[in-house]
Each structure stands twice: as structure tokens, then as C-alpha cells.
Amino acid sequence: MRKEDCFYLGRIVTKYSFKGEVVIKLDTDEPELYKEMESVYVEFGANLVPFFIEKSSLHKGNQLRVQFEDVYSEEEADSILKCGVYLPTTMLPKLTGDKFYYHEVIGFKVVDTNFGEVGTIVHINDKAAQPLFEIDREGKEIFIPMVDEFIKKVNREKNTIEVETPEGLIELYL
């Protein structure tokens, strides 16, 4: 499985028992969606390796306690500690309305209600305090904060996002 075809689900953060159980800290607002999984991909360097789940249960909010097949000791659990956990993007629940996954809107056109067509989303910068749309407009980079007040409509059929930004924000970059 290629990493490009997967989404990041979380990280194996600690061992739970001497029998090889581990705890995965899930990167999701809805951990209950992932308590019945049969398998996941665990990141080893540049590779994703399938691991089959024997049993799992929710643990302390957004964590999942997991017993993997063939991981039955503390030493075996140590080998996967701190590894990222991935699932195929086909397993993502479908979002509707103005909710979207970051990878889903790459390539969408951004249209501002006051400015007009801004450009094309080339990346989502989620390293800042506030996630940002990184937009290419004829070779110039424009950054628009991804806040609910700015995002007015997501149109999946037309691959567009309508925004309403404060006056002058877009012109700062031009």
C-alpha cells in the first residue's frame, strides 16, 4: 500500500500490557468509527506494513487499545511503538455539506464573494496555529485561513470553495 493512497489515523503511543497490547492515539473527532477495524497499516520508515487486529476497544476518549495478531510480548510491542497508523482513503466516511478532508480539496478553485476567482488550492498548511489554504494564483502564493466564518460553500461537483474574506486580505499577496 502506498502512503499517498492512505490517510493518517494516529500513532502507537504506549504499550498497554505485557501481552503485546498497544494504545493508538487516534487523530479523529469520532474515535467510535474505528473500533471495529480488521486491520491497519503501520509505518516502518517509508513502508506501510499491514497489521491484523485480533481485538480492540476504545480507551480514554480518542485512544484505541489494540491487540494485533503476531504481537504477543512487550518486546514485539516495542518494535511498533511511536509508529504512525494509516488506513486506505477509501475507508474515510463520506463528508457532506461544507465539511471536507484536507486531501479532498487539493485542486479546488477558490472564489471569493468580493474579489472573484482567487486561484487553485495547492496545499493545506496545517502546521500553523490555524490551518491555511495555500492557493496558487498565476505563480503567486495566497494564504487564506480555514475558518468557518470565511468558508461559505463547498461545491464538490464544480470543485470550488466559495469564501468571504475580510476586505484587503487577498490584495495583500498581489
Side-chain angles (χ1 to χ4, degrees), residues 129-166:
Q130 176 67 52
L132 301 167
F133 288 122
E134 288 187 18
I135 302 165
D136 176 59
R137 179 181 173 86
E138 300 167 359
K140 291 191 189 305
E141 263 188 341
I142 298 174
F143 297 96
I144 296 179
M146 292 172 51
V147 293
D148 291 341
E149 295 78 39
F150 292 0
I151 300 169
K152 296 303 173 194
K153 184 174 182 190
V154 176
N155 187 325
R156 288 174 172 81
E157 291 76 42
K158 294 183 179 178
N159 288 350
T160 60
I161 295 181
E162 184 180 318
V163 297
E164 186 173 349
T165 59

Side-chain angles (χ1 to χ4, degrees), residues 4-64:
E4 303 82 53
D5 300 326
C6 294
F7 68 96
Y8 177 77
L9 179 63
R11 179 165 305 285
I12 300 170
V13 292
T14 188
K15 296 180 285 189
Y16 186 78
S17 73
F18 63 90
K19 295 181 179 178
E21 284 182 291
V22 295
V23 175
I24 301 171
K25 183 171 188 223
L26 300 174
D27 185 25
T28 178
D29 296 332
E30 300 176 286
E32 60 280 354
L33 295 176
Y34 301 100
K35 66 180 181 183
E36 300 293 327
M37 297 182 296
E38 294 178 8
S39 65
V40 294
Y41 290 94
V42 176
E43 180 181 33
F44 285 100
N47 299 317
L48 294 180
V49 178
F51 273 71
F52 293 91
I53 297 172
E54 236 174 61
K55 65 180 180 178
S56 65
S57 60
L58 289 178
H59 180 76
K60 294 183 184 175
N62 71 334
Q63 297 181 345
L64 192 67

Side-chain angles (χ1 to χ4, degrees), residues 1 4-7 41 87-94 101 103:
M1 181 62 69
E4 303 82 53
D5 300 326
C6 294
F7 68 96
Y41 290 94
L87 285 174
T89 53
T90 55
M91 293 185 69
L92 280 171
K94 294 289 181 222
Y101 295 111
H103 72 272

